[in-house]
Amino acid sequence: MAGGSGGRTVASRVLGLIGAFDASHRRLTLSELATRADVSLPTAHRLVAELVDWGALVREEDGTYAVGRRLWDAGLLAPVATDLRSVAAPFLHDLYGATLETVHLAVREDDHVLYLETLRGTRNVPIVSSVGSRLPMYSTGVGKVLLAHAPEDVRNRVLSAPLKPFTRHTITTPGLLRRQLDRVLAEGYATTAEEMTLGACSVAVPITTSSGVVGSLGIVVSDLRRNRLRLVSALKVAAQGVSRGLG
């Protein structure tokens, strides 16, 4: 119930308001923000106004609020993001130049996949991801790679939560998804077939350093039946180059 913020610091309330947003709640009303952050409506009104003034949140034309660009810009200053994006940039462009398809660079953020970079392809393939977006790991190529290599507690948490179907092809059976993740580990790449968006298939590989898997590279195409092995090979070469660059 909103209003239970007694004894909390201003910082914890502000963080609660920012943390109210997730992949399923990209736009929230002031009342929804207050409820999800567990603060009173007057407190939410005051703090949200300050966050909007600073650029952490933006107020849309319909009166709802969304995460502002300034938070994304600040997140890009994190070493894992700046190093990975800068090292991966030339390899992303090489992949795009060789395929003219949409190319993704992503990392795991808690139980979601966070897209650090996206180069849009020239072909008419529906894409829902964009730079800074967070999507479920179980329904995307880069996400399945990251979920397969995630700690066991993360895998268990994702697989035990409700698996929302985005299309009729989305895998929502935990046992089947777990077997697919095991196959990702064995084969070194993941694929999806219209599991996030109808008309879009994807293939992705891990980026590995001495610290483990730090990210994933993926390509989105309309059909994988003929070019899967060629795309996997190109992705693995690029991922190895990024890994060497990261040291």
Side-chain angles (χ1 to χ4, degrees):
M1 179 178 178
S5 55
R8 293 171 60 189
T9 64
V10 173
S12 71
R13 297 175 192 180
V14 168
L15 292 173
L17 289 166
I18 294 173
F21 296 92
D22 58 30
S24 301
H25 301 85
R26 297 177 181 275
R27 287 178 170 77
L28 296 168
T29 65
L30 187 63
S31 295
E32 290 169 335
L33 274 167
T35 299
R36 288 176 60 80
D38 193 24
V39 299
S40 67
L41 194 58
T43 298
H45 183 272
R46 175 173 56 83
L47 294 178
V48 166
E50 293 184 30
L51 288 170
V52 170
D53 287 342
W54 188 76
L57 300 180
V58 293
R59 190 172 190 274
E60 306 287 7
E61 291 183 359
D62 62 0
T64 60
Y65 295 88
V67 173
R69 180 74 194 188
R70 195 160 182 182
L71 275 185
W72 170 245
D73 291 339
L76 292 180
L77 299 177
V80 64
T82 53
D83 293 350
L84 187 54
R85 290 179 79 238
S86 60
V87 171
F91 298 98
L92 289 170
H93 285 281
D94 285 346
L95 283 172
Y96 174 80
T99 64
L100 297 180
E101 305 284 4
T102 296
V103 180
H104 291 313
L105 171 68
V107 296
R108 181 173 68 85
E109 184 179 70
D110 298 323
D111 295 348
H112 292 81
V113 55
L114 171 66
Y115 289 81
L116 293 182
E117 193 63 86
T118 295
L119 299 181
R120 293 277 177 168
T122 60
R123 309 182 204 284
N124 188 26
V125 179
I127 305 293
V128 297
S129 55
S130 59
V131 175
S133 64
R134 297 165 75 247
L135 294 175
M137 287 191 284
Y138 64 88
S139 56
T140 61
V142 286
K144 285 187 179 182
V145 165
L146 297 169
L147 183 57
H149 289 274
E152 190 62 24
D153 64 312
V154 174
R155 289 179 59 163
N156 289 336
R157 188 164 61 242
V158 171
L159 293 174
S160 63
L163 300 174
K164 173 186 174 182
F166 294 94
T167 73
R168 63 181 181 274
H169 303 291
T170 307
I171 297 175
T172 57
T173 305
L176 178 58
L177 186 56
R178 186 177 290 277
R179 289 193 294 273
Q180 188 177 68
L181 296 177
D182 291 340
R183 191 163 64 248
V184 171
L185 294 176
E187 297 178 346
Y189 67 92
T191 61
T192 63
E194 300 185 292
E195 294 173 41
M196 191 73 218
T197 311
L198 292 176
C201 303
S202 65
V203 57
V205 302
I207 300 171
T208 307
T209 69
S210 58
S211 301
V213 172
V214 297
S216 179
L217 284 177
I219 295 177
V220 181
V221 296
S222 60
D223 194 327
L224 278 174
R225 285 173 293 187
R226 288 187 298 178
N227 296 324
R228 177 172 55 89
L229 294 180
R230 180 178 66 85
L231 294 175
V232 168
S233 178
L235 282 166
K236 286 186 173 181
V237 170
Q240 289 168 0
V242 177
S243 298
R244 286 194 299 269
L246 291 171

